[in-house]
């Protein structure tokens, strides 16, 4: 079974340019997450979806970041315009959702490494 | 706000040693704790998930324990191998938040 698929793997752009990342979660996983990981740090949540609904986007910089999850499957994360400080690895993860004792196991994609120059 | 700390930040051991990685969290009101492995330039691979009602979980040479009241978890790796070299991250899900808060990780190097 395929895991979480992300594309592209790497992206280099100039500041002020737009960029978009794509994620295809594991089939049947209702919950989808976008995380950002800076060098030497743990991932930090940007947004969480339950099916099509963004249920937690409190950490998403809404002035320049946007995300969508059409039909509750694939998701895209966009940055416009990009800034130098946006250079990081952007990780997508998915899970079955909430069980009796909290979230079920989260599975991560390979990530997209963004470099803004 | 939940804070997750992992000690040590880096660890280098010879092959065959048993080792312990530590994770502590400030808010004990958690649903579960998850240990991940991250290879350079790669995403995260889930290793073990411990529900708040559980004390430990085992998978092969890995054993993770959870002491919720004291805010601590340990990941024990038996008979370490060079292939175990990676960064190990722990993450907790807070009750009511439905998100994972990660530590910065422990970078492990196992030398042949």
């Amino acid at each position: 079974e395929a895991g979480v698929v992300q594309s592209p793997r790497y992206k280099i752009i100039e500041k002020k340019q737009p960029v978009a990342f794509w994620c295809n979660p594991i089939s049947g996983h209702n919950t989808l997450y976008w995380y950002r990981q800076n060098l030497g740090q743990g991932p930090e949540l940007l947004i969480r979806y339950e099916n099509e609904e963004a249920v937690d986007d409190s950490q998403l910089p809404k002035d320049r970041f946007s995300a969508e999850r059409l039909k509750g499957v694939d998701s895209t994360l966009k940055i416009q315009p990009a800034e130098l400080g946006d250079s990081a690895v952007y990780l997508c993860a998915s899970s079955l959702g909430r069980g009796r004792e909290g979230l079920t196991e989260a599975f991560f994609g390979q990530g997209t490494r963004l470099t803004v120059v | 706000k939940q804070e997750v700390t992992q000690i040590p930040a880096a660890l280098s051991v010879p092959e065959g040693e048993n080792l312990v990685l530590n994770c502590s969290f400030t808010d004990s009101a958690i649903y579960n704790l998850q240990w991940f492995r991250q290879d350079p330039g790669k995403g995260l691979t889930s290793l073990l998930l411990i529900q708040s009602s559980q004390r430990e979980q085992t998978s092969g040479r890995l054993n993770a324990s959870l002491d919720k009241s004291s805010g601590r978890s340990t990941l024990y790796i038996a008979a370490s191998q060079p292939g175990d070299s990676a960064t190990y991250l722990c993450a907790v899900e807070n009750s009511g938040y439905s998100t994972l808060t990660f530590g910065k990780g422990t970078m492990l190097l196992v030398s042949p």
Side-chain angles (χ1 to χ4, degrees):
Chain A
E1 179 185 343
V4 177
V5 179
Q6 290 187 245
S7 69
R9 288 293 315 278
Y10 305 93
K11 190 74 177 179
I12 301 174
I13 62 170
E14 294 183 344
K15 63 182 180 181
K16 300 185 181 180
Q17 294 301 305
V19 65
F21 315 123
W22 176 80
C23 173
N24 179 238
I26 293 173
S27 178
H29 280 193
N30 298 321
T31 303
L32 184 145
Y33 315 78
W34 283 102
Y35 284 86
R36 177 169 61 187
Q37 185 176 25
N38 292 308
L39 189 64
Q41 305 292 315
E44 295 180 332
L45 181 73
L46 292 174
I47 189 168
R48 176 172 70 93
Y49 282 93
E50 296 290 345
N51 299 305
E52 302 91 351
E53 183 182 0
V55 295
D56 185 354
D57 63 356
S58 57
Q59 301 302 311
L60 189 73
K62 298 181 183 64
D63 58 334
R64 298 183 300 106
F65 286 64
S66 64
E68 61 182 7
R69 190 182 185 197
L70 298 177
K71 300 182 181 178
V73 181
D74 294 1
S75 177
T76 56
L77 177 69
K78 298 178 182 179
I79 308 175
Q80 182 171 11
E83 297 179 351
L84 295 176
D86 296 332
S87 295
V89 176
Y90 291 82
L91 295 162
C92 178
S94 71
S95 73
L96 285 171
R98 174 165 292 282
R100 285 191 303 148
E101 293 188 71
L103 293 173
T104 54
E105 191 173 7
F107 295 87
F108 282 74
Q110 298 274 39
T112 296
R113 182 176 296 277
L114 173 67
T115 302
V116 183
V117 297
Chain B
K1 178 184 175 184
Q2 177 73 272
E3 292 184 3
V4 179
T5 303
Q6 292 189 244
I7 295 174
L11 182 62
S12 182
V13 300
E15 181 178 7
E17 274 202 9
N18 302 324
L19 54 97
V20 174
L21 308 181
N22 297 291
C23 173
S24 62
F25 44 95
T26 55
D27 185 349
S28 61
I30 65 169
Y31 273 134
N32 57 53
L33 182 145
Q34 199 166 353
W35 281 94
F36 295 89
R37 167 184 173 142
Q38 186 172 31
D39 292 284
K42 300 290 181 64
L44 280 65
T45 300
S46 178
L47 297 173
L48 293 163
L49 183 148
I50 311 175
Q51 305 286 5
S52 62
S53 58
Q54 298 173 321
R55 285 284 189 165
E56 63 179 327
Q57 282 282 351
T58 298
S59 176
R61 294 180 296 106
L62 305 180
N63 176 275
S65 66
L66 173 64
D67 184 342
K68 201 175 91 164
S69 61
S70 68
R72 294 180 183 178
S73 176
T74 59
L75 179 67
Y76 175 82
I77 303 177
S80 59
Q81 303 172 356
D84 295 329
S85 298
T87 295
Y88 291 80
L89 296 144
C90 77
V92 299
E93 182 201 351
N94 275 77
S95 304
Y97 287 97
S98 296
T99 63
L100 293 175
T101 301
F102 283 83
K104 293 182 178 180
T106 293
M107 187 182 302
L108 174 65
L109 176 63
V110 182
S111 305

